Amino acid sequence: MRMRRAILSTLTRICWHSGLLSGLNFLANETQLRRSRTGRPDFPYIARRQSPNFQVLTYHRFTMRHDPFFPSVDIEAFARQVAFLARHYCVVDLGDLLRQLDTRRQVPKNAVALTFDDGYRDNYELAFPILKHYKVPATIFLTTGFVNRDDILWNDKVCFAMKHTSRQEYVAPLSGGQRFLLHTPKERLAAAMQILWALFHVPHERKLAVVEQMLEELNIHDFGELRESMLTWDQAREMGRNGIRFGAHTVTHPILSQLPLDKAREEILESKKKIEKEIGEPVEVFAYPVGRAVDFTPELKSVVEELGFRAAVTTVFGTNTAETDRYALRRTGLDDKDLAVFASKQCWYKFAV
């Protein structure tokens, strides 16, 4: 694996420093990887592009210092990425692009849209000044139940508890009572990841109850540096006046496919109504929490459409065309610090995905 990464890193640097990348990007706009009916690459491997595609990038939180318990994009790396995209790509507002497609206009060449999930305050404090400097639009999907509050998302509570508890071991109230050793940061991080994975498969109400039980048993009653880690409505309104759009991401961030359909509908609708009330603009795009293929269903897509959304985004990897299902738009997450790697991946995904 290390050898493969080293080879790929070397190739991306060659493409970057030789100027070859711009030629490859031109090729990606005109051609695409030829695939068989099963989706595998098929000889002669290159075919003329059938229709322009667009990429939707997804981010969550940003940081000035690395913390493995709370994965974040390095803000200096993000600044380099935005500068690169502003110079070499057509950065579009997702809602505007969808409206253009509704009038049967073509996808602009090199179109890319930036999206942020959840509504962390660092979106305002760190990312917003960069977006404003480069005059780049973006869409932030708000989990409205956490805006203006000191409360934090359930997954952040788990990670904070594993990082800060004074306990040296813990028996989790799921997965058959698995025992976790918490002597080192490495053990604590591994425990957090395993507990999160198990909780992803637990119904929402049960999940919240398990998390509260964990916090009690681990003696965690204050979230310290995570207090005020979510956006306020005043911050959102300021961003809205400066080219940032907002989409709905539910009220409490449940995995919607695990809820009864009426409860899922309530989560989606109340999130939409709250944002429209606070921001004063229609909310046109929705983001499924977590957003894997198992996290939304045809019935949920129908609900999103019925509630007046123009589209919905997932975290299913890939790019999109005018023909892509509007209620299952694909997104990619690129958090590479190395700009050469980021740029090369952008080009490759445009060609191959």
Side-chain angles (χ1 to χ4, degrees), residues 329-342:
L329 293 177
R330 297 183 285 268
R331 294 192 288 176
T332 54
L334 298 176
D335 57 357
D336 304 277
K337 283 190 175 183
D338 189 322
L339 185 58
V341 175
F342 173 86

Side-chain angles (χ1 to χ4, degrees), residues 114-137:
L114 304 185
T115 64
F116 308 151
D117 284 6
D118 300 332
Y120 287 102
R121 189 170 299 198
D122 52 53
N123 292 187
Y124 171 81
E125 295 172 340
L126 299 179
F128 177 48
I130 295 167
L131 298 171
K132 191 160 57 169
H133 175 76
Y134 289 102
K135 298 181 174 58
V136 166

